RNA sequence: GCCGGGAUGGUGGAAUUGGUAGACACGCAAGACUUAAAAUCUUGUGGCUUCACGGCCGUGCGGGUUCGAUUCCCGCUCCUGGUACCA
């Protein structure tokens, strides 16, 4: 073989890897393990574009490197194959989403294989496969059968709870449950009907059915979770979303709030992602206390983080949705207050969000009593108070809270300062200040005042210290077809689990994928969607699970994907443990990454796995943006003018397919055949070339800027694609895709190839001992590659390969002792060419079985250094000096230098800084 | 508003703890090879200035610390991601 021919060698090695099962991972306790995971893709109909494989290439390089270091590597790939696009397509065409999904997966797999990833395809999972989702359903059943014991701070089987109820009711049980759970004793429990018992238990189960205010998206016909809604519109499709009360399954993720928070300290993720999760969980310490209402037997419960400012409270504010609102409105206020509630309630979430500046509210006419000083304060309704957070009521302290301040100003309510400081600039939080005007709290600092105030309310049994979380329980149902059915049936309106032996509960056939006429989810269309028990037939749940169900535990299934008896074998799970490196986008920060941590902790509590955190180390790759090209049509003609000349004409810009543009130069022939109307296009060129304009936009079909990896591979080869994606810049950075530099890495591979061949194109390797220079070049590169891989700095190691090959080419090196380790060094990045060169060197086994070359410092030891000599910090000359010189000797040599003499002009330097082995700086 | 990330030649980017700013590539220019083109190779390439040696300026902007700052500190501008009345 003469020339480097990527098309031939890449196919050859891909086939070799597959046939020889090179990447098949098996438990091997004699080797250290390394579990590398990529966020698995949703197989969309559009196929892969060049942005998708970016993270996969990075993780592939790491796993190949780890293999060379002797690790036993698990590096799987699979598909998150339930999802909206396939279902929308099914609604439009009537084709079963499973068919579309299957086709898309086939295409994705083909594309991924083309890039030469070292995936263990034996381990592939698909969330929409019944063999997979039977275990998703199984985990759901475990959640249903569990409650959260706060004393032990872990989930436990519901059986233990029932036992406790039988013994002593729910007194003394420290478990997470619904707010409205009644108190009962053992006798009550005994007397409850089975139905009542179920109702009670549902208030404790980790997954439960309850009426919740949900984000309802009418266009998609389903509810969405908070992280699927952006600014009042659905993230997918951008349809309007409204708030609606519905019966939904929820996951009691809030039970894990504190552990999810604490666990963040044990994982190596980037700080921004951890911070996002912390904010999302939103832990705040404060107190809960009640205010009596004058003339009512009602008590308004508020949550506050600043009970130290209790003497500054001048009014209470209730959310418009608060249960007491109707009762507290007095006759004389009825008209205005009710009108306000009506408006406020109907304002959509979106209106409230876009219009946060407008202050609105209404006085109820009722008065509450501040238990600290017996003062009567007005009770207002205000839409700045959210029904869903805390108690839906706040004690307003206008002097020390900005929103309360603005509200008080607007309605002319009293503002009473209780912390020392200046009110000139409006309210101030005054954290750490001294309390004033506050009776027995005056003179204290914030924390001391809070402690004392909490003592006060606790002594009177009107409140207590409390920790509040912002995070809500996660809604777990979608009114869609293409998702996991819930293993639940209904008897007397109450949910029961189907039996484990009946798993998987397979998605039924339906005639249409739309909701029914009366708004029931698509599964209501299925015939016989019932569960048969000895007592009869009962209807099955018609909603399905949300997209995040399957992805919350997939990393476990990869370890043991074909296991029919368990979701994963415990011994195998123990061996692979947590994911050592997780690569994916940052967009899952508060969704997937939180939910899978939750399920992992739950499974840990269950005792079926040994890890509490699924993803030990994570890096987030930056998205690849599109880079569009433009041509400029002279108005009213079929003439196109090059970018530099377009201002001389009246033109309109037109997107042009980036695939017929190279280095921003338009391929005229391809342009003419691009569309029929362009066949007779004329051009006004610059230097015989047509230069296109460019802009960074989202990668999308309509902008003609989608680049398919297959096209790049066809033209340059997969190794070039891999190298180029890495060479583009740091992995985490967002960057537009443009092919302008790709020739550089392609040339590099050709040069690399040539090192192993003579001018006649024959393999030519010398077995002579390498020279000092050759060894230096090699070891410099080993060192740099190793460091870069440890830091995930892939772009710089590609540059160091280029330097290495340039240097070896310059000295015409063809020594085996250099070229053999070089092939290994390059192999994680460009595995195909490396395998081929490895074989040409006479090796018979895959290069993956080789060892990463050992770096030897001795080859880099220098005995002289080229000192930059600076005058006043500016480099003026260089001086090559022996490294054995002392400071004084260096100083002397520098002063003798001609250039230095010139700058000194005969004067004595004010100061001299000499850092041996680094620099010389002379201050004059 | 709040919390992150960022800004370096015509372009992508490099500079490990403060120590030669612009590595490596692309592009461009000139040259070699060729009938020609492509490919390949060689040389040059931050700006201004100078015949040249050299000099001045230069890492978003304005200050500061330091012998020395892309790097550290203070104050701003712009871009970008997250979040949004969370009591």
């Amino acid at each position: 073989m003469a020339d480097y021919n990527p098309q031939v060698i890449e196919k050859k090695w891909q086939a070799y890897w597959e046939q020889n099962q090179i990447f098949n991972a098996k438990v091997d306790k004699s080797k250290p393990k390394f579990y590398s995971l990529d966020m698995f893709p949703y197989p969309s109909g559009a196929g892969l574009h060049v942005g998708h494989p970016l993270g996969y290439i990075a993780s592939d390089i790491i796993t190949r490197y780890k293999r060379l270091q002797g690790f036993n590597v698990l590096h799987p790939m699979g598909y998150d194959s339930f999802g909206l696009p396939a279902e929308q397509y099914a609604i439009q065409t009537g084709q079963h989403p499973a068919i579309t999904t299957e086709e898309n997966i086939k295409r994705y797999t083909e594309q991924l294989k083309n890039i030469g990833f070292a995936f263990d395809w034996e381990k592939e999972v698909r969330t929409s496969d019944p063999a997979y989702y039977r275990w998703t359903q199984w985990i759901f059943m475990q959640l249903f059968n569990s409650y959260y014991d706060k004393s032990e701070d872990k989930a436990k089987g519901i059986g233990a709870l029932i036992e406790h109820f039988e013994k002593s009711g729910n007194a003394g049980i420290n478990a997470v449950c619904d707010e409205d759970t009644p108190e009962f004793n053992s006798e009550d429990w005994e007397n409850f009907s089975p139905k009542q018992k179920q109702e009670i238990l549902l208030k404790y189960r980790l997954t439960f059915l309850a009426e919740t205010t949900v984000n309802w998206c009418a266009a998609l016909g389903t509810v969405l979770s908070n992280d699927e809604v952006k600014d009042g519109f659905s993230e997918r499709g951008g349809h309007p979303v409204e708030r609606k009360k519905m019966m939904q399954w929820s996951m009691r993720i809030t039970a894990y709030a504190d552990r999810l928070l604490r666990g963040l300290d044990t994982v190596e993720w980037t700080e921004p992602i951890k911070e996002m999760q912390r904010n999302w969980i939103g832990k705040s310490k404060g107190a809960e206390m009640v205010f009596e209402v004058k003339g009512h037997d009602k008590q308004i419960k508020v949550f506050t983080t600043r009970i130290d400012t209790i003497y500054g409270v001048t009014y209470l504010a209730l959310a418009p949705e608060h249960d007491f609102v109707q009762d507290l409105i007095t006759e004389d206020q009825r008209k205005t207050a009710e009108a306000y509630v009506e408006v406020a309630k109907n304002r959509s979430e979106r209106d409230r969000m876009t219009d946060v500046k407008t202050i609105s509210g209404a006085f109820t006419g009722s008065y509450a009593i501040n238990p600290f000083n017996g003062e009567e304060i007005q009770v207002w309704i205000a839409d700045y108070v959210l029904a869903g957070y805390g108690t839906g009521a706040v004690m307003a302290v206008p002097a020390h809270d900005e929103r309360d301040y603005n509200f008080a100003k607007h309605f002319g309510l009293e503002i009473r300062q209780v912390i020392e400081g200046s009110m000139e600039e409006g309210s101030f939080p005054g954290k750490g200040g001294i309390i004033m005007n506050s009776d027995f709290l005056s003179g204290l600092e914030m924390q001391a005042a809070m402690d004392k105030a909490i003592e006060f309310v606790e002594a009177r049994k009107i409140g207590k210290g409390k920790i509040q979380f912002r995070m809500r329980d996660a809604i777990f149902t979608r009114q869609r077809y293409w998702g996991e059915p819930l293993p639940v049936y209904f008897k007397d309106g109450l949910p029961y689990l189907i039996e484990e032996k009946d798993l998987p509960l397979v998605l039924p056939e339906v005639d249409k994928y739309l909701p029914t006429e009366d708004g029931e989810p698509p599964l209501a269309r299925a015939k016989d969607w019932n569960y048969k028990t000895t007592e009869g037939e009962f209807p099955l749940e018609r909603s399905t699970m949300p997209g995040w169900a399957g992805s919350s535990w997939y990393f476990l299934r990869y370890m043991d994907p074909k296991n029919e008896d368990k979701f994963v074998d415990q011994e195998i799970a123990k061996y692979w443990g947590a994911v050592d490196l997780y690569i994916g986008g940052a967009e899952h920060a508060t969704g997937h990454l939180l939910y899978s941590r939750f399920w992992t902790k739950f499974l840990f509590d269950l005792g079926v796995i040994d890890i509490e955190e699924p993803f030990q180390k994570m890096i987030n790759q930056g998205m690849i943006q599109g880079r569009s090209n433009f041509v400029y049509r002279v108005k009213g003609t079929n003439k196109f003018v090059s970018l530099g000349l377009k201002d001389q004409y009246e033109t309109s810009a037109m997107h042009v397919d980036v695939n017929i543009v190279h280095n921003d130069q338009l391929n005229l022939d391809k342009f003419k055949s691009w569309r029929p109307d362009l066949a007779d296009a004329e051009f006004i060129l610059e230097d015989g070339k047509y230069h296109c304009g460019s802009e960074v936009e989202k990668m999308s079909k309509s902008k003609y800027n989608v680049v398919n990896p297959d096209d790049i591979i066809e033209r340059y080869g997969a190794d070039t694609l891999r190298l180029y994606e890495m060479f583009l810049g740091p992995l985490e950075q967002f960057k537009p895709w443009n092919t302008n530099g790709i020739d550089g890495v392609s040339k590099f591979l050709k040069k690399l190839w040539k090192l192993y061949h003579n001018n006649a194109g024959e393999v030519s390797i010398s077995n002579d001992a390498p020279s000092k220079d050759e060894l230096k070049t090699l070891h410099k590169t080993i060192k740099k590659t190793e460091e870069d891989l440890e830091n995930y700095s892939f772009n710089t190691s590609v540059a160091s390969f280029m330097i290495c090959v340039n240097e070896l080419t310059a000295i015409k090196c063809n020594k085996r002792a250099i070229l053999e380790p070089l092939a290994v060094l390059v192999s994680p990045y460009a595995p195909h060419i490396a395998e081929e060169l490895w074989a040409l060197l006479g090796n018979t086994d895959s290069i993956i079985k080789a060892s990463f070359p050992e770096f030897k410092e001795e080859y880099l030891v220098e005995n002289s250094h080229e000192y930059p000599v600076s005058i006043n910090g500016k480099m003026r000359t260089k001086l090559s000096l022996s490294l054995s010189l002392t400071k004084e000797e260096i100083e002397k040599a520098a002063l003798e230098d001609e250039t230095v003499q010139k700058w000194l002009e005969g004067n004595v330097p004010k100061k001299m800084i000499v850092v041996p082995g680094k620099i010389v700086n002379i201050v004059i």
Side-chain angles (χ1 to χ4, degrees), chain A residues 166-363:
Chain A
E166 283 166 354
K167 234 180 268 165
S168 40
N170 66 354
I173 189 105
N174 191 13
V176 179
C177 63
D178 289 357
E179 285 275 320
D180 61 356
T181 309
E183 277 178 33
F184 56 88
N185 58 33
S186 57
E187 219 172 293
D188 296 336
W189 178 256
E190 211 176 306
N191 294 327
F192 284 154
S193 67
K195 191 180 166 183
Q196 280 172 310
K197 285 184 180 172
Q198 275 306 316
E199 274 168 0
I200 293 289
L201 288 175
L202 208 49
K203 294 180 186 297
Y204 287 87
R205 297 182 189 278
L206 286 181
T207 181
F208 59 100
L209 194 58
E211 175 146 276
T212 345
T213 308
V214 297
N215 303 301
W216 173 254
C217 180
L220 295 175
T222 189
V223 304
L224 299 170
S225 65
N226 286 330
D227 53 275
E228 288 167 326
V229 182
K230 291 268 175 293
D231 301 326
F233 289 93
S234 66
E235 199 176 29
R236 276 184 196 255
H239 306 290
V241 174
E242 56 178 322
R243 307 280 287 169
K244 195 175 170 184
K245 281 211 164 182
M246 282 179 84
M247 236 359 179
Q248 294 289 329
W249 284 95
S250 285
M251 289 277 163
R252 229 179 272 281
I253 187 173
T254 49
Y256 283 86
D258 214 42
R259 279 168 71 188
L260 288 168
L261 200 59
R262 290 199 308 264
L264 288 173
D265 297 331
T266 69
V267 294
E268 296 166 64
W269 296 7
T270 59
E271 212 37 57
I273 298 272
K274 288 193 191 183
E275 202 52 34
M276 273 187 240
Q277 292 215 344
R278 287 193 193 106
N279 290 338
W280 192 263
I281 296 167
K283 180 179 183 173
S284 45
K285 279 187 209 162
E288 206 174 66
M289 62 175 288
V290 294
F291 284 70
E292 301 285 344
V293 182
K294 190 184 164 198
H296 282 266
D297 56 355
K298 291 210 173 337
Q299 292 181 325
I300 299 174
K301 197 189 261 183
V302 303
F303 172 74
T304 176
T305 54
R306 296 298 302 274
I307 199 165
D308 54 317
T309 61
I310 181 74
Y311 285 91
V313 176
T314 56
Y315 66 97
L316 290 192
L318 305 182
E321 298 88 347
H322 197 280
D323 288 343
F324 293 178
V325 162
Q326 281 309 321
D327 289 344
L328 295 187
I329 294 175
T330 57
E331 274 321 305
D332 54 323
Q333 297 295 329
R334 186 156 301 273
K335 230 177 154 183
T336 44
E338 280 188 350
Y340 176 69
V341 171
E342 206 45 41
V343 172
K345 267 191 177 170
N346 285 336
R347 275 179 90 193
S348 67
E349 192 77 346
R350 192 178 128 67
D351 285 345
R352 276 209 202 180
M353 266 192 287
T354 46
D355 190 24
V356 291
K357 290 286 171 290
T358 315
I359 294 161
S360 68
F363 178 41

Side-chain angles (χ1 to χ4, degrees), chain A residues 857-877:
Chain A
E857 186 72 49
E858 58 192 275
Y859 296 119
L860 297 193
V861 174
E862 302 270 357
N863 38 33
S864 74
H865 176 68
E866 193 164 38
Y867 282 89
V869 180
S870 304
I871 312 287
N872 291 339
K874 261 205 166 334
M875 205 274 290
R876 293 298 170 184
T877 187

Side-chain angles (χ1 to χ4, degrees), chain A residues 598-835:
Chain A
F598 160 42
W599 280 29
T600 303
K601 286 182 190 302
F602 169 69
L603 292 168
F604 172 83
D605 287 353
L606 223 58
V608 291
I609 55 172
D610 300 285
I611 50 159
E612 250 200 279
E613 284 292 341
F615 316 120
Q616 197 43 63
K617 160 110 195 160
M618 177 169 63
I619 25 187
N620 305 105
Q621 95 256 18
M623 230 176 346
I624 294 224
Q625 295 149 312
R627 185 177 184 276
S628 311
N629 276 118
F630 294 90
V631 291
Y632 303 92
R633 186 199 290 264
V634 178
K635 280 204 170 145
T637 69
N638 210 10
K639 235 182 217 176
F640 295 86
V641 56
S642 180
L643 178 68
L645 304 172
K646 80 177 171 76
D647 292 341
Q648 298 168 23
Y649 302 83
E650 205 182 319
T651 60
S652 54
M654 180 179 111
H655 274 100
V656 61
D657 189 343
V658 293
N659 294 297
I660 60 173
V661 176
H662 185 58
N663 284 334
D664 287 340
Q665 284 172 28
L666 183 67
N667 183 318
L668 302 182
D669 293 333
K670 284 186 185 165
F671 182 70
K672 284 183 172 179
S673 52
W674 183 40
R675 288 195 330 224
D677 60 307
L678 301 171
D680 57 349
E682 292 173 68
F683 304 96
I684 302 167
L685 305 176
E686 290 174 80
D687 319 319
K689 292 165 188 158
Y690 190 100
H691 295 279
C692 296
S694 69
E695 212 172 287
V696 173
E697 301 178 291
K698 235 186 99 148
M699 208 176 261
S700 94
K701 259 188 189 168
S702 64
K703 296 184 166 60
Y704 299 106
N705 61 5
V706 177
V707 183
N708 184 330
D710 300 342
D711 297 340
I712 304 278
I713 291 170
E714 200 189 312
R715 182 162 175 171
Y716 295 99
D719 284 336
T720 298
L721 173 77
R722 294 169 60 111
L723 278 173
Y724 186 60
E725 293 224 6
M726 293 298 104
F727 191 59
L728 219 46
L731 184 65
E732 311 81 19
Q733 224 164 74
F734 281 65
K735 57 217 154 196
W737 175 264
N738 92 55
T739 354
N740 285 357
I742 199 165
D743 287 334
V745 290
S746 169
K747 272 187 221 169
F748 157 73
L749 287 175
K750 284 180 195 154
K751 281 192 214 165
L752 176 73
W753 180 262
K754 274 194 186 156
L755 271 183
Y756 297 73
H757 295 78
N758 62 20
N759 286 336
E762 294 152 341
V763 177
S764 161
I765 302 293
S766 147
N767 286 322
D768 294 349
S771 73
K772 220 180 136 192
D773 281 349
E774 290 166 338
L775 284 166
K776 188 178 159 189
T777 295
L778 175 70
H779 283 267
K780 195 171 72 181
T781 311
I782 296 173
K783 186 173 184 223
K784 179 82 180 134
T785 309
E786 223 163 22
E787 282 170 359
D788 286 345
L789 283 168
E790 299 297 337
N791 296 322
Y792 309 102
S793 173
F794 303 99
N795 54 328
T796 50
S797 40
V798 176
S800 74
F801 292 148
M802 289 174 171
I803 296 170
C804 178
V805 167
N806 287 347
E807 284 179 4
L808 293 179
T809 304
I811 50 180
K812 296 195 166 56
C813 172
N814 69 338
K815 312 266 171 66
R816 174 178 296 274
I818 302 294
L819 297 187
E820 217 163 49
L822 176 64
V824 180
L825 275 186
V826 173
S827 69
Y829 294 77
H832 309 89
I833 191 174
E835 286 277 23

Side-chain angles (χ1 to χ4, degrees), chain A residues 432-453:
Chain A
I434 305 294
I435 306 293
M436 60 189 245
N437 295 334
S438 298
D439 195 12
F440 73 102
L441 299 179
S442 291
L444 295 174
E445 286 204 351
M446 178 170 95
Q447 194 52 54
M450 293 215 286
D451 294 346
K452 228 170 168 180

Side-chain angles (χ1 to χ4, degrees), chain A residues 462-636:
Chain A
I462 52 168
K464 57 178 198 271
K466 196 181 177 187
I467 286 166
Q468 187 73 45
F469 291 95
R470 192 184 86 113
M471 183 167 66
R472 313 280 70 187
D473 279 331
I475 294 168
F476 196 67
T477 24
R478 300 290 182 268
Q479 287 63 50
R480 305 292 299 193
Y481 175 75
W482 193 227
E484 301 88 343
L486 286 106
V488 168
Y489 67 95
F490 288 88
K491 191 169 79 182
D492 294 335
L494 281 174
Y496 295 87
L497 292 180
I498 68 170
E499 279 186 58
E500 213 175 298
K501 69 170 173 50
D502 294 319
L503 290 179
L505 179 63
V506 179
L507 208 48
E509 294 299 322
V510 292
D511 57 342
K512 268 189 211 161
Y513 302 97
L514 285 167
T516 63
E517 277 67 40
D518 39 357
E520 284 286 309
L523 290 196
R525 294 175 175 276
K527 281 191 196 106
D528 271 347
W529 191 234
N530 297 318
Y531 187 63
K532 293 172 193 68
T533 73
T534 47
E535 297 171 59
E537 236 179 82
F538 300 99
L540 282 159
E541 168 66 55
R542 290 161 169 184
S543 292
T544 51
M545 297 189 196
W548 56 268
S551 60
S552 291
W553 71 284
Y554 76 117
F555 75 99
L556 290 166
R557 189 63 181 172
Y558 273 141
M559 300 169 179
D560 190 15
K562 303 208 165 77
N563 195 326
E564 288 179 12
D565 306 319
K566 279 182 170 173
F567 74 111
V568 60
D569 179 274
Q570 201 158 354
E571 277 305 302
I572 294 176
K574 197 171 186 163
Y575 175 77
W576 292 113
V579 172
D580 295 287
L581 178 65
Y582 197 27
I583 297 188
E587 66 272 17
H588 298 108
T590 50
H592 161 64
L593 289 170
L594 206 53
Y595 298 131
S596 41
R597 292 183 60 219
F598 160 42
W599 280 29
T600 303
K601 286 182 190 302
F602 169 69
L603 292 168
F604 172 83
D605 287 353
L606 223 58
V608 291
I609 55 172
D610 300 285
I611 50 159
E612 250 200 279
E613 284 292 341
F615 316 120
Q616 197 43 63
K617 160 110 195 160
M618 177 169 63
I619 25 187
N620 305 105
Q621 95 256 18
M623 230 176 346
I624 294 224
Q625 295 149 312
R627 185 177 184 276
S628 311
N629 276 118
F630 294 90
V631 291
Y632 303 92
R633 186 199 290 264
V634 178
K635 280 204 170 145

